[in-house]
Amino acid sequence: MEATDDLASFEVVNLSNPGLLDLGTDIDGHVQESKDRTKLKTKLISAWNNLRYGGWSLKSKPRLSKSSPVCLLRQSYQLSYSGKQDRTVMSVSEGSLCRVFTVSMCFFLPGERESFRRAFSSLLWMTYRRGFPLLDGSALTSDAGWGCMLRSAQMLLAHGLMLHMMPAGWTWPATHHQTKDDLEVVDTHALEDSLRESRRDSGKHRRCSLGTALDCETHEERTHRRIVSWFGDLPSAPFGLHRLVELGRASGKRAGDWYGPAIAAHILQKAVAASEVSDLAVYVAENCTVYVGDVLNLCGTSRTDLSARCRSGWKSLVLLVPVRLGSDMLNPAYTRCVKRLLELQCCMGIIGGKPKHSLFFVGFQDDQLIYLDPHYCQAAVDVQQDNFPLESFHCKTVRKMPFNRMDPSCTVGFYAGSRADFQALCSDVTKALTSSEEKYPIFTFVEGHNEEEMSCTSDSFTHIKSKDRPGRIKKKSCLEEFVLL
């Protein structure tokens, strides 16, 4: 039997706070009981919504193989234990003698297994919410059952903003702790005495919650919290549900309607253009074609000096490409191509999922896609409060789905922070697309500008047969339908 492990099922403890490992410290029973009741209520409500709207199932948690590498947004991880290490935990003087105690501990250390867990848990997770202010023009105070595509689009944009505003390789400090099943204590008395000694040396430690006290208010953490607040469920949030629904009206959509991945891409483009993020631009490809000249104009630069490595005069780019990878189901020939795209340094992820069931794909392992699922209804969070809790915006549960269950209608996202990054993006993506088994790539980069006059609204347009892509069909369609190769 293949060795497997469920990374999401670990019970975590914070080793940076000795009090959590103090064998003599009692947990406040009343506080813990109250928290358990709240969690139980939330889980019951969420389970009902998930079953009602075809979201999460009651099957057991998926397991990730420890023998196969896993790709998570540009990075590859090998999920294997790092092994045991003997460590000295205390030294006690007894007269002229000095006694040293050593314990054997099995740590993840800076291994790839722990790096994967930290990276996954640091991704921003947007889900159904309930109890937020009324959506304009409706009586809805929850998006359960209809808002999954908008939530997936939020996750895609949120990841782009994290790449844009946070340092490379950043992970949420609340994920920087070991797991309970990784600690093997040989001499518990020595460990207990050691921890007491360390507390006397370092003073009292206050027990911390994941979303607040563990967040040292560094510049990075303030930026992290600021980005999350932009997606709050209130009318003033620039990328919140209320704002996205408002922008969707131009496409004939309203609260309670189903939004497809292409319409969601155009909504994100409008939202960023109207926001305070002035150094970021969103380009949405038309007819599966990225016009390089239009991108350069949008980002405020010219064709010359494309390889310059500074951002002067350049808006960073989020490139969104709506595509269709088959007719009614994913064409197996595109599986390898999707894998190649998810492995690229510039890839932000893919929004799509199953029919009428949107997901945010962030990686894969073997023939399984790894995703974040918005179909989990949580209470709305007041992001206007200082130090609002962040736990519900991060997911610890790794979920996966076979490639053959993926809906062929999806939008792929890419990020380029500089002109040089965009040049590398064009080269890397083109190589990934032309390496597939298909004769024609799923989309292309074309020099120059899009000079076709698109006689369409945000909902529909006419696909025109292009001379550089033979075999395309002239067809009038909505944004959720695409010309097939």
Side-chain angles (χ1 to χ4, degrees):
M1 181 178 294
E2 182 185 30
T4 60
D5 199 7
D6 181 7
L7 296 184
S9 63
F10 291 144
E11 180 179 356
V12 295
V13 295
N14 175 22
L15 292 185
S16 64
N17 185 352
L20 292 177
L21 289 176
D22 187 356
L23 303 180
T25 302
D26 294 331
I27 299 175
D28 189 337
H30 296 291
V31 174
Q32 187 64 34
E33 183 179 355
S34 176
K35 290 182 178 179
D36 291 342
R37 283 199 303 267
T38 302
K39 289 181 179 179
L40 178 60
K41 180 179 178 181
T42 300
K43 288 181 178 180
L44 289 175
I45 295 175
S46 296
W48 164 245
N49 280 292
N50 297 332
L51 289 174
R52 179 183 179 187
Y53 299 114
W56 286 12
S57 65
L58 296 179
K59 62 184 179 181
S60 60
K61 295 178 181 178
R63 293 178 177 271
L64 295 177
S65 171
K66 291 188 292 184
S67 60
S68 299
V70 56
C71 171
L72 178 68
L73 288 179
R74 311 181 298 169
Q75 297 294 330
S76 179
Y77 303 89
Q78 185 66 48
L79 307 181
S80 57
Y81 287 98
S82 300
K84 292 184 180 181
Q85 277 197 356
D86 292 336
R87 288 192 172 184
T88 301
V89 295
M90 72 170 293
S91 177
V92 179
S93 297
E94 297 180 357
S96 60
L97 299 177
C98 181
R99 182 175 298 176
V100 177
F101 294 91
T102 302
V103 296
S104 179
M105 298 181 179
C106 180
F107 286 104
F108 287 146
L109 298 175
E112 295 186 24
R113 180 186 178 93
E114 175 66 5
S115 297
F116 170 80
R117 188 187 63 80
R118 292 184 181 185
F120 182 85
S121 300
S122 298
L123 295 174
L124 292 185
W125 183 39
M126 308 300 170
T127 71
Y128 288 156
R129 295 284 177 171
R130 64 180 185 276
F132 50 68
L134 286 173
L135 292 166
D136 193 21
S138 75
L140 296 173
T141 59
S142 174
D143 61 321
W146 60 270
C148 58
M149 179 56 73
L150 294 181
R151 296 300 186 181
S152 296
Q154 284 181 324
M155 286 188 273
L156 181 65
L157 178 59
H159 184 60
L161 289 170
M162 296 294 280
L163 293 175
H164 181 61
M165 302 177 65
M166 301 295 284
W170 174 88
T171 54
W172 189 29
T175 67
H176 298 181
H177 42 64
Q178 303 291 344
T179 59
K180 189 174 183 179
D181 62 339
D182 289 329
L183 188 61
E184 181 179 318
V185 181
V186 174
D187 190 340
T188 58
H189 295 291
L191 181 61
E192 181 179 1
D193 293 340
S194 170
L195 295 176
R196 288 174 179 169
E197 183 71 22
S198 67
R199 280 201 307 278
R200 283 197 294 269
D201 293 339
S202 59
K204 279 192 174 183
H205 292 267
R206 178 179 297 179
R207 188 165 300 173
C208 305
S209 66
L210 288 179
T212 54
L214 279 181
D215 270 347
C216 301
E217 284 300 320
T218 61
H219 172 71
E220 288 79 11
E221 286 313 305
R222 287 193 295 270
T223 303
H224 171 214
R225 189 176 295 275
R226 182 186 180 193
I227 293 174
V228 172
S229 71
W230 286 342
F231 294 88
D233 294 302
L234 66 164
S236 61
F239 311 125
L241 186 72
H242 294 72
R243 179 61 175 158
L244 301 187
V245 169
E246 178 185 351
L247 293 173
R249 290 178 184 171
S251 302
K253 297 294 184 179
R254 59 182 181 180
D257 289 348
W258 164 257
Y259 294 73
I263 287 181
H266 285 275
I267 290 176
L268 292 183
Q269 182 183 42
K270 296 175 184 177
V272 172
S275 73
E276 62 184 87
V277 189
S278 59
D279 58 346
L280 181 68
V282 176
Y283 178 90
V284 181
E286 299 283 358
N287 293 331
C288 302
T289 304
V290 178
Y291 291 92
V292 176
D294 290 340
V295 173
L296 297 180
N297 287 344
L298 177 66
C299 294
T301 185
S302 64
R303 289 173 178 270
T304 61
D305 197 24
L306 187 60
S307 61
R309 297 190 59 84
C310 64
R311 293 192 184 183
S312 176
W314 170 268
K315 289 184 178 181
S316 296
L317 172 70
V318 167
L319 172 62
L320 303 178
V321 186
V323 295
R324 191 171 183 90
L325 308 177
S327 55
D328 297 328
M329 59 185 298
L330 178 71
N331 187 333
Y334 290 123
T335 299
R336 186 180 177 188
C337 181
V338 172
K339 288 183 178 182
R340 288 180 179 272
L341 291 177
L342 288 171
E343 289 174 336
L344 295 178
Q345 289 293 314
C346 58
C347 186
M348 290 167 42
I350 302 173
I351 56 174
K354 296 180 287 186
K356 304 294 184 179
H357 184 94
S358 178
L359 304 170
F360 177 40
F361 297 113
V362 294
F364 66 91
Q365 184 181 50
D366 297 327
D367 293 325
Q368 303 277 330
L369 283 159
I370 294 175
Y371 62 88
L372 285 169
D373 192 350
H375 300 86
Y376 184 70
C377 194
Q378 305 183 87
V381 175
D382 184 1
V383 296
Q384 293 180 319
Q385 291 184 351
D386 293 335
N387 296 323
F388 59 87
L390 292 169
E391 292 90 338
S392 66
F393 295 99
H394 292 273
C395 181
K396 293 181 289 185
T397 303
V398 179
R399 294 186 174 273
K400 60 183 183 179
M401 181 186 80
F403 271 93
N404 58 19
R405 294 179 59 194
M406 178 182 178
D407 191 301
S409 178
C410 56
T411 290
V412 189
F414 303 95
Y415 173 79
S418 66
R419 287 173 287 186
D421 291 340
F422 178 62
Q423 185 180 37
L425 183 156
C426 295
S427 175
D428 294 343
V429 172
T430 299
K431 182 178 179 180
L433 295 176
T434 55
S435 299
S436 69
E437 300 175 5
E438 282 294 302
K439 184 177 180 180
Y440 303 109
I442 59 176
F443 66 93
T444 58
F445 292 87
V446 176
E447 292 294 331
H449 305 272
N450 181 10
E451 298 178 354
E452 297 177 354
E453 293 184 4
M454 307 299 293
S455 56
C456 66
T457 64
S458 299
D459 292 343
S460 61
F461 55 84
T462 302
H463 290 282
I464 301 177
K465 187 173 181 178
S466 174
K467 63 181 180 180
D468 61 327
R469 278 205 297 262
R472 293 196 179 270
I473 303 169
K474 188 173 181 179
K475 175 183 178 183
K476 187 169 183 178
S477 172
C478 70
L479 281 177
E480 304 322 316
E481 298 175 4
F482 301 87
V483 175
L484 303 182
L485 296 173

